[in-house]
Amino acid sequence: MKIQLMLRGVRLREARMQAQKCETNFKWLTCAGILCCLIWNGCAQQGGSDCIKANAKSCGECIQAGPNCGWCKKTDFLQEGEPTSARCDDLAALKSKGCPMEDIENPRGSKQVLENREVTNRKKGAAEKLKPEAITQIQPQKLSLHLRVGEPQTFSLKFKRAEDYPIDLYYLMDLSYSMKDDLENVKSLGTALMLEMEKITSDFRIGFGSFVEKTVMPYISTTPAKLRNPCTGDQNCTSPFSYKNVLSLTSEGNKFNELVGKQHISGNLDSPEGGFDAIMQVAVCGEQIGWRNVTRLLVFSTDAGFHFAGDGKLGGIVLPNDGKCHLENNVYTMSHYYDYPSIAHLVQKLSENNIQTIFAVTEEFQAVYKELKNLIPKSAVGTLSSNSSNVIQLIIDAYNSLSSEVILENTKLPKGVTISYKSFCKNGVNDTQEDGRKCSNISIGDEVRFEINITANECPKKEQNETIKIKPLGFTEEVEINLQFICECQCQSEGEPNSPACHAGNGTFECGACRCNEGRIGRLCECSTDEVNSEDMDAYCRRENSTEICSNNGECICGQCVCKKRENTNEVYSGKYCECDNFNCDRSNGLICGGNGICKCRVCECFPNFTGSACDCSLDTTPCMASNGQICNGRGTCECGTCNCTDPKFQGPTCEMCQTCLGVCAEHKYCRAFDKGEKKETCSQECMHFNMTRVESRDKLPQPGQPDPLSHCKEKDVDDCWFYFTYSVNSNGEANVHVVETPECPSGPDIIPIVAGVVAGIVLIGLALLLIWKLLMIIHDRREFAKFEKEKMNAKWDTGENPIYKSAVTTVVNPKYEGK
């Protein structure tokens, strides 16, 4: 914890220095962002711990709380008032609290491969003839995992389909009367199928079995005549039977044809058949059938449905199928005693015996058997022609479909153990969850990989080892995994029973703490459970002149205070009476002790170079250093990293600014050099504190770049002459002034050009005014003349139309005159 706080203090000091630097450069926004980020990073380190919340009383309980929990076995690790469970925390917190790495118990899980034979790369037609058990398609074969709660262990499983892998095929046929024409085609199946399968494997065996129905009513007729010949008319049928193993697995195809050729059709009453009884016997009677540890195929050929568990009640059969072999002389003898197996029971036995089922059924029952296929892993359905003529191609296609897919399954997992799969299949196809168990479209010689995670979420009660197995469905090979659970720490085996360190032997001293015997409690097992509620004990948990038990911050157990736990596990109560804590100290900038100290018993213990009740006062004078190398420009004192200016006129980070002061140039413009100006009489007294040097010209003045701060000045004297000087202060505080000895005074005015210019100006202005007056008069005259012309044109009278004038001529018109 101390290390974390020190690091946090260093980061905040860097942030504060960065902020001051940015303030000088007027970049406060950027600096504020940097400071906030660092403060947030410090706050983010505070948080709860699942390890603390587990309230572990021993190292074993601690490591079961989570994969990141460790237990400190250092004897003097706990502070006074802290409970034993404070020994359990995450590793970083334990180290920050001062627990050495060698005293932290943190066992880790591991894996060990015990058997790891390489997968077989034999080619078909190779000279060597390997036994089936010598062929390896899965790797590794055996391993051991040490599991710690919450910590997964991962291993890779490789699968490769071996070329020329042996195959056992058992043909199970329905011999009810409706399959009469199918039997004729099956009689030549042996040698024909042998020839086809030679293209796939050089080691192929075939067997044959048949079934009809249970030999009880109402499935068959039990009259003596029908028992001898269940068929009607002149049909010669064999007696009904449940299941018969006609031919155990053999590599002689001719023998298959011979025995199948001797088979006869039988008959029954109802449509569904007793095929499930037959499948169960084929699966569990491995010795009679002759199954080897190779690829096992069961071809189930029928043109009808099936009976399943519960249907036996119709015949008075109520005992569930026991899933055991009951073949005598290759005939199933308990069909009248045990009910049909359930689908789930059948799936279990087929999976246990690694049998892949091919349902060769007619078109009519395709839908039913496809639903059944979805319930039976590693099974396929093919459409059987009406006379079974396509059975060979159906078997080949179904085998290719089944063998091109690998599906992993595992045995029952122990309580609290989970398993997950991730597949890495052909062409970069990867899947997880349920699809991570399988890969499809695998050809012979293809290699696929699975990544398997096994996690223990709790320890078994008996802490015993467990074994699980993982295998690909339909294959006999498997991976055996031995699970060993890490539920105790190594140091617990080194514990001292009835140790004197545990209050006269009332507990076992292990891993730095006492594990109390039954009926004893307390950090040192010093108290009996009968004494817990005793009022006399409470007196030991109260401070003098106080009525509060454990300062209201804990519980009194066996006369000792056990402090409460806070929701934030980084905040703790401590002390004999839980009177101390590490979170109620003074704060600065929202941080306890300003992030520059450690809170101990409500008092800040500051890091070096910090002081104050909240450690917010820095003793570093670097922020107060002015550009001239002086502390606060010699005008103040540095307090907590900030300048406190003694002269109220000055302000700023280093007392460099004075709003009411004249500049150095204006302040010294009247002094010494030219013996004139406002301070002529007092210059010898007021301006003698600096050294003055005269130079010939401005080029001789000191230029920027010297070590001392320098000000270039240009001022005007009472005679309007410009003079130039520089002002600087060296590291010893001495002021130096360099002044150009000859001022630049302005020359007198030239009278003639001025007078000539004034006269010329007056003349030009007069001419301009006359021209403007003349122009205005011309415009006015033109407007008056235009107005006269307009009125003249608009006149309407003349002398001929004068109303007073009478003409001397009278004109008379003859009304009778027509103009002829």
Side-chain angles (χ1 to χ4, degrees):
M1 189 68 181
K2 184 175 180 180
I3 296 172
Q4 284 183 334
L5 290 171
M6 290 180 68
L7 291 174
R8 195 179 304 156
V10 171
R11 286 196 294 270
L12 289 170
R13 284 202 301 274
E14 292 174 350
R16 189 176 290 110
M17 293 176 65
Q18 185 71 18
Q20 291 170 348
K21 181 178 178 181
C22 292
E23 183 181 359
T24 304
N25 296 319
F26 302 100
K27 296 181 179 178
W28 61 273
L29 285 174
T30 303
C31 299
I34 295 172
L35 186 59
C36 289
C37 288
L38 288 172
I39 292 174
W40 175 261
N41 185 39
C43 295
Q45 293 180 3
Q46 298 180 359
S49 170
D50 291 335
C51 307
I52 287 285
K53 294 174 183 176
N55 200 28
K57 298 297 190 300
S58 66
C59 185
E61 292 180 14
C62 178
I63 64 173
Q64 294 180 46
N68 297 319
C69 297
W71 176 272
C72 183
K73 62 182 181 181
K74 185 179 178 183
T75 306
D76 58 350
F77 173 71
L78 296 179
Q79 298 182 24
E80 191 170 15
E82 279 192 294
T84 303
S85 59
R87 292 181 176 274
C88 182
D89 209 336
D90 59 77
L91 303 182
L94 290 176
K95 285 189 278 187
S96 68
K97 291 177 182 177
C99 187
M101 279 300 297
E102 60 270 16
D103 286 332
I104 297 178
E105 284 287 325
N106 181 37
R108 311 310 304 175
S110 62
K111 64 180 179 183
Q112 181 182 5
V113 178
L114 304 178
E115 188 175 345
N116 193 31
R117 299 190 308 273
E118 291 290 335
V119 292
T120 303
N121 292 313
R122 182 172 66 104
K123 297 291 185 180
K124 186 173 182 295
E128 75 272 15
K129 187 72 172 180
L130 297 179
K131 294 181 179 180
E133 55 271 18
I135 300 175
T136 303
Q137 297 184 110
I138 192 169
Q139 181 187 6
Q141 295 78 39
K142 189 175 183 179
L143 47 86
S144 175
L145 300 182
H146 289 76
L147 298 178
R148 177 175 171 179
V149 172
E151 181 185 22
Q153 291 298 319
T154 303
F155 67 94
S156 290
L157 186 150
K158 184 193 299 183
F159 178 85
K160 182 177 181 180
R161 275 190 63 192
E163 190 170 349
D164 197 24
Y165 196 72
I167 298 174
D168 284 355
L169 185 146
Y170 192 84
Y171 196 92
L172 184 59
M173 185 175 180
D174 178 6
L175 285 189
S176 60
Y177 188 77
S178 58
M179 295 286 288
K180 181 180 179 181
D181 53 347
D182 299 85
L183 180 60
E184 296 300 322
N185 286 310
V186 174
K187 289 179 179 179
S188 60
L189 176 66
T191 53
L193 188 58
M194 280 283 188
L195 293 174
E196 287 296 324
M197 295 303 289
E198 283 179 359
K199 299 176 182 178
I200 300 174
T201 176
S202 60
D203 189 356
F204 175 72
R205 299 198 309 167
I206 190 171
F208 184 81
S210 59
F211 66 91
V212 181
E213 188 55 274
K214 288 184 181 294
T215 55
V216 295
M217 284 289 290
Y219 312 112
I220 66 169
S221 176
T222 57
T223 60
K226 290 295 182 181
L227 285 176
R228 288 192 300 270
N229 183 6
C231 300
T232 59
D234 56 353
Q235 297 292 331
N236 185 21
C237 298
T238 189
S239 299
F241 56 91
S242 176
Y243 163 69
K244 184 187 301 181
N245 176 32
V246 178
L247 175 65
S248 298
L249 291 164
T250 179
S251 58
E252 301 177 14
N254 293 329
K255 190 174 183 180
F256 179 93
N257 294 348
E258 177 185 349
L259 289 177
V260 174
K262 297 178 181 179
Q263 301 303 306
H264 296 283
I265 293 296
S266 185
N268 62 314
L269 296 179
D270 61 343
S271 176
E273 313 293 0
F276 277 14
D277 273 342
I279 294 176
M280 177 61 76
Q281 293 304 301
V282 171
V284 299
C285 298
E287 293 184 4
Q288 290 86 338
I289 302 299
W291 292 117
R292 299 178 295 170
N293 285 331
V294 297
T295 298
R296 299 175 177 181
L297 299 178
L298 170 61
V299 180
F300 182 83
S301 175
T302 184
D303 64 347
F306 48 83
H307 284 294
F308 54 90
D311 289 354
K313 292 180 180 179
L314 296 173
I317 303 173
V318 294
L319 286 178
N321 195 289
D322 64 350
K324 296 180 180 178
C325 181
H326 298 286
L327 290 184
E328 293 183 11
N329 297 323
N330 289 321
V331 176
Y332 181 38
T333 60
M334 302 297 286
S335 66
H336 63 286
Y337 189 76
Y338 290 114
D339 192 6
Y340 301 100
S342 66
I343 295 176
H345 197 185
L346 210 58
V347 169
Q348 177 190 353
K349 293 301 179 180
L350 289 172
S351 178
E352 285 179 0
N353 292 280
N354 305 305
I355 296 174
Q356 304 177 63
T357 309
I358 301 172
F359 295 105
V361 297
T362 55
E363 183 71 31
E364 180 182 358
F365 290 94
Q366 279 287 304
V368 175
Y369 281 91
K370 283 183 178 178
E371 290 297 327
L372 181 61
K373 167 191 171 295
N374 295 332
L375 300 175
I376 302 179
K378 292 293 282 185
S379 62
V381 176
T383 304
L384 192 67
S385 62
S386 59
N387 59 1
S388 298
S389 59
N390 67 331
V391 68
I392 292 179
Q393 189 59 45
L394 184 152
I395 292 172
I396 298 297
D397 293 341
Y399 168 74
N400 290 331
S401 173
L402 291 173
S403 60
S404 66
E405 183 177 57
V406 57
I407 303 175
L408 297 183
E409 69 165 1
N410 51 268
T411 56
K412 184 179 179 181
L413 298 173
K415 184 181 178 182
V417 175
T418 58
I419 188 168
S420 64
Y421 296 84
K422 183 176 182 180
S423 60
F424 298 87
C425 307
K426 287 177 60 178
N427 304 321
V429 178
N430 301 338
D431 273 311
T432 55
Q433 298 181 352
E434 282 304 309
D435 289 337
R437 291 174 174 264
K438 65 181 180 180
C439 283
S440 302
N441 301 319
I442 302 174
S443 303
I444 293 175
D446 287 342
E447 183 176 292
V448 295
R449 186 172 64 87
F450 296 88
E451 191 174 273
I452 302 173
N453 282 325
I454 298 181
T455 307
N457 299 309
E458 61 182 68
C459 275
K461 294 181 179 180
K462 297 182 180 179
E463 299 182 11
Q464 59 187 5
N465 297 342
E466 299 279 355
T467 299
I468 63 172
K469 295 181 180 181
I470 299 176
K471 67 175 182 178
L473 285 175
F475 294 87
T476 57
E477 298 173 71
E478 61 188 12
V479 181
E480 182 179 323
I481 305 170
N482 180 254
L483 304 181
Q484 301 181 34
F485 299 91
I486 303 175
C487 301
E488 296 288 348
C489 299
Q490 180 64 34
C491 60
Q492 289 182 248
S493 62
E494 303 167 1
E496 180 184 357
N498 303 319
S499 171
C502 299
H503 199 269
N506 286 318
T508 301
F509 188 78
E510 60 182 28
C511 302
C514 287
R515 180 185 284 187
C516 299
N517 297 335
E518 188 174 354
R520 305 294 297 186
I521 57 175
R523 276 177 57 176
L524 300 177
C525 310
E526 67 274 19
C527 188
S528 170
T529 53
D530 299 331
E531 303 171 349
V532 172
N533 297 323
S534 172
E535 293 184 2
D536 294 337
M537 292 290 182
D538 291 346
Y540 295 100
C541 298
R542 286 193 294 265
R543 289 190 289 179
E544 293 184 9
N545 302 324
S546 175
T547 59
E548 296 178 344
I549 296 176
C550 299
S551 305
N552 288 333
N553 296 324
E555 294 181 285
C556 186
I557 299 178
C558 301
Q560 289 188 345
C561 285
V562 176
C563 302
K564 292 179 185 176
K565 294 179 183 178
R566 300 271 296 177
E567 184 175 351
N568 183 347
T569 55
N570 290 327
E571 299 177 354
V572 295
Y573 292 107
S574 60
K576 182 178 180 180
Y577 304 105
C578 300
E579 74 279 9
C580 296
D581 61 60
N582 65 347
F583 55 87
N584 274 324
C585 291
D586 290 343
R587 295 174 180 259
S588 177
N589 295 324
L591 298 176
I592 297 174
C593 301
N596 302 317
I598 301 174
C599 182
K600 290 187 176 180
C601 204
R602 304 186 179 183
V603 177
C604 285
E605 186 177 289
C606 300
F607 297 145
N609 288 331
F610 287 94
T611 186
S613 62
C615 300
D616 53 350
C617 181
S618 174
L619 300 178
D620 185 10
T621 60
T622 302
C624 299
M625 190 68 67
S627 57
N628 60 6
Q630 292 181 304
I631 300 294
C632 301
N633 272 302
R635 302 180 183 118
T637 58
C638 187
E639 299 177 2
C640 300
T642 304
C643 282
N644 183 17
C645 303
T646 54
D647 190 337
K649 294 187 300 181
F650 291 92
Q651 54 185 308
T654 56
C655 302
E656 73 279 7
M657 295 185 294
C658 179
Q659 301 294 338
T660 60
C661 298
L662 294 173
V664 293
C665 294
E667 183 180 356
H668 299 90
K669 64 182 287 187
Y670 298 116
C671 288
R672 291 182 61 181
F674 305 106
D675 197 23
K676 57 184 177 180
E678 296 178 0
K679 298 184 179 181
K680 178 180 178 181
E681 302 299 330
T682 61
C683 188
S684 58
Q685 289 80 25
E686 296 183 19
C687 302
M688 296 303 295
H689 64 279
F690 57 80
N691 300 321
M692 187 179 70
T693 304
R694 298 176 183 270
V695 297
E696 296 178 358
S697 63
R698 292 167 58 183
D699 297 337
K700 303 293 185 180
L701 292 173
Q703 300 300 317
Q706 65 177 26
D708 299 330
L710 181 67
S711 297
H712 275 265
C713 301
K714 175 184 177 183
E715 297 292 337
K716 187 178 288 188
D717 62 13
V718 293
D719 298 326
D720 288 333
C721 294
W722 292 100
F723 61 94
Y724 300 88
F725 66 95
T726 61
Y727 180 85
S728 62
V729 179
N730 61 23
S731 58
N732 297 324
E734 297 176 348
N736 295 306
V737 175
H738 291 74
V739 60
V740 178
E741 59 185 1
T742 305
E744 294 182 0
C745 296
S747 58
D750 193 350
I751 302 299
I752 295 176
I754 294 173
V755 173
V758 171
V759 172
I762 294 172
V763 172
L764 290 175
I765 292 171
L767 290 176
L769 292 174
L770 289 173
L771 289 174
I772 292 171
W773 176 82
K774 182 63 176 175
L775 179 62
L776 293 174
M777 293 302 295
I778 292 173
I779 294 172
H780 181 266
D781 290 345
R782 287 185 177 179
R783 285 180 177 175
E784 290 296 325
F785 181 76
K787 183 178 180 182
F788 170 76
E789 287 293 331
K790 184 177 180 181
E791 290 177 351
K792 181 179 177 182
M793 292 297 294
N794 291 336
K796 297 296 183 181
W797 54 271
D798 57 24
T799 56
E801 296 178 357
N802 191 340
I804 304 175
Y805 172 75
K806 290 186 180 292
S807 176
V809 178
T810 301
T811 302
V812 179
V813 179
N814 186 358
K816 295 294 185 177
Y817 176 71
E818 297 178 357
K820 294 182 181 179

